[in-house]
Amino acid sequence: MDLSRRTLLKLLPAAGMLAACGKPSKIRLALNWKPDPEFGGFYAADFAKHGLDVELLPGGSGTPTVQMIGAGSSEFGIIEADELLLARTKGNDVVALYAAFQNSPLGIMAHGSRKLESIADLLKGGTLAIESGLPYARILQKKFGFDHVKVVPSPGGDLTTFLNDEKFAQQCFVTAEPLQARHKGVDVKVFPVSELGYNPYTTVLATSGDYLKKNPALVTNMVAAVREGWRAYLDNPAPTNEKMHGLNPSMDPASYAEIAEAQKPLIETGTLGKMTKERWETLAAQLKELGDIPSAPAAGDCFRDL
Amino acid sequence: MRKALPAFIPFVIVVVALESLVRAGWIKAFLVPPPSAVFETLIHDWRELFGALAKTSVGALAGFALSAVGGIAIGVFLSSSSAIRQAFYPYAVFFQTVPIIAIAPLLVIWFGYGMRTVVASAFIVSIFPVIANTLTGILSTDPALRDLFILYGASPSATLWRLRFPAALPQILTGLRIAGGLAVIGAIVGEFIGGQGLGSVVDVARTQQRTDKVFAAVLLASLLGLALFGFINLLSRVALRRWHVSEQN
């Protein structure tokens, strides 16, 4: 009792100081995975040049970045476009600012030896490891049915089962896991999920509507820094890759270089990071049809072009 | 029923407080769902949730049963000599410290997707308390009674089964109570990776930002843990009623 009171007394002035400050010294950017080329532009960005002190927070499987933004435990976060729509219909006012991947890198990879022609063939037998909670999984199920395939949870980036079981297909980033599997000597056939007509913006920089309203200039600077960062990373990924490899050595330097090259076409399609109302509307309509959201949020509220 | 009443009071207080805080806007509903939403989900998705609960129950119970049988057997074995204890006890501790989240993906590789992985996960996390409590129980036999058995020339096996094991029952049952809750946790962790039951429901609901459904599934999981706890208490009452103070109130 005595101890807790003493702790409380110590904390009170600290809390007061925080409240008086108003603005925390560091701006946090929560990532939804470990440092890797997918975040190259964010690690390449020169935030200081724009007067920003930004701390990148690496995440892991299931890091709830969209909720972190809404709760204010991170000023910025990396999310996917479909997450944002789900969040908005639940009253979590999150706004997209910059879409690093204009085309979704999500895909399914299977052994080449199976001679599969299309995604539909994938569902005719064997095992399919996917994140069943993702909308594309239900699009697959609605379109083709899961009656002939065994659906199991995605093992993330772990390839062990895939390498050992020819009939095993798994969700992947088309830019990453297939390259690793090929390095292990396996012939891989990749089916991008965008072939299903489902193509959400991915690796999207977002903040809360509230933060945007209170710090419009800061947010504009943030987006400018990120855009320059991606430009720099696309032009010369080597220095940033070295930095990220230091933070996440689980992948070898050659893979960093290879993935950075492979992901370019998904990123560089026009003005870097730019989003359109039409694509947000399409995505919202798809999610509504799936029954994931009760009504489509106004596309104009979902993103801000800065 | 009257005995269960006090347990409901904190429950009602927490539910009413949460509901009011969320409705008043103090807590955002996408972070903590209002209890009414959790309740609605329980009703609306009951078929899916209770089907998942049934699967999780099978996995947790099977893992728990293996832990009970295996843990008691290993505990008895370790009690047989101090040399055996020194040789094997450190390996038993392995089960206590193994980070199940880290090895769960390996379980899938060893046992395949589905029930076997779930049972293995539930078993691994729940066996240690049974071993440790069985061992301590057997080793803390009243020395006076042990001397009495020696005086009457009882064989080691008679001493074990007539004296040391029965005297260890209160501690073994304590081990089982701890193991029951752990088996439920182990089963759900196994299901995250192995893909079925409440673990799978939580995983999918989390991806869909359905905190209400996550809480509904967690609520069912804790009810399962509670049921297991109640079952062991019943067992304890039957086994100890006649002679142990803990069951004579």
Side-chain angles (χ1 to χ4, degrees), chain A residues 64-272:
Chain A
T65 45
V66 84
Q67 276 113 326
M68 287 165 76
I69 296 169
S73 48
S74 187
E75 286 74 28
F76 293 90
I78 301 300
I79 58 162
E80 324 298 5
D82 40 20
E83 284 184 306
L84 183 139
L85 290 171
L86 286 180
R88 287 197 72 85
T89 55
K90 291 181 196 308
N92 184 358
D93 180 16
V94 177
V95 183
L97 302 167
Y98 181 98
F101 281 74
Q102 294 287 311
N103 289 310
S104 169
L106 208 58
I108 299 172
M109 66 174 185
H111 283 256
S113 53
R114 288 168 74 182
K115 305 261 179 277
L116 303 174
E117 298 281 323
S118 69
I119 287 190
D121 289 347
L122 267 174
L123 301 171
K124 287 182 181 152
T127 308
L128 179 62
I130 53 175
E131 273 181 86
S132 315
L134 292 181
Y136 92 86
R138 278 187 313 290
I139 293 183
L140 271 183
Q141 187 173 16
K142 266 197 170 170
K143 245 180 163 161
F144 307 110
F146 285 163
D147 297 334
H148 304 292
V149 68
K150 186 178 175 191
V151 176
V152 301
S154 157
D158 186 353
L159 298 181
T160 320
T161 310
F162 180 80
L163 296 174
N164 288 315
D165 181 356
E166 202 206 350
K167 295 268 180 217
F168 191 89
Q170 82 180 58
Q171 178 183 313
C172 64
F173 261 25
V174 298
T175 49
E177 287 94 339
L179 299 178
Q180 285 170 277
R182 284 184 190 123
H183 280 308
K184 302 265 179 193
V186 174
D187 179 26
V188 179
K189 170 97 180 161
V190 183
F191 301 97
V193 164
S194 55
E195 278 181 11
L196 290 168
Y198 186 74
N199 191 18
Y201 291 121
T202 305
T203 314
V204 178
L205 174 74
T207 188
S208 69
D210 187 49
Y211 192 79
L212 175 61
K213 206 164 70 191
K214 288 180 181 152
N215 309 281
L218 186 154
V219 174
T220 307
N221 287 338
M222 180 81 179
V223 172
V226 164
R227 185 167 277 128
E228 285 172 25
W230 273 105
R231 187 66 265 158
Y233 187 70
L234 288 164
D235 293 339
N236 180 20
T240 310
N241 281 343
E242 204 182 311
K243 183 162 126 193
M244 291 191 294
H245 179 254
L247 296 167
N248 174 20
S250 67
M251 204 159 64
D252 59 83
S255 297
Y256 271 98
E258 209 174 352
I259 294 173
E261 189 58 37
Q263 69 188 15
K264 276 183 183 170
L266 302 173
I267 294 168
E268 199 162 15
T269 56
T271 309
L272 289 182

Side-chain angles (χ1 to χ4, degrees), chain A residues 61-62 66-67 70-71 83-84 86-87 90-92 127 129 131-134 138 150 152-153 155 158 160-161 168 292, chain B residues 28-31 105-106 108-109 112-114 190-196 200 203-212:
Chain A
S61 173
V66 84
Q67 276 113 326
E83 284 184 306
L84 183 139
L86 286 180
K90 291 181 196 308
N92 184 358
T127 308
E131 273 181 86
S132 315
L134 292 181
R138 278 187 313 290
K150 186 178 175 191
V152 301
D158 186 353
T160 320
T161 310
F168 191 89
D292 282 15
Chain B
K28 291 166 181 162
F30 63 86
L31 297 177
L106 292 176
V108 169
I109 294 162
Y113 286 93
E191 287 173 342
F192 271 139
I193 318 280
Q196 58 177 24
S200 182
D203 193 29
V204 170
R206 207 177 47 174
T207 311
Q208 298 176 334
Q209 297 169 37
R210 290 279 311 270
T211 38
D212 52 333

Side-chain angles (χ1 to χ4, degrees), chain B residues 192-230:
Chain B
F192 271 139
I193 318 280
Q196 58 177 24
L198 290 173
S200 182
V201 170
V202 168
D203 193 29
V204 170
R206 207 177 47 174
T207 311
Q208 298 176 334
Q209 297 169 37
R210 290 279 311 270
T211 38
D212 52 333
K213 207 162 167 183
V214 171
F215 273 73
V218 169
L219 193 69
L220 291 181
S222 33
L223 286 181
L224 171 60
L226 214 58
L228 209 53
F229 190 78

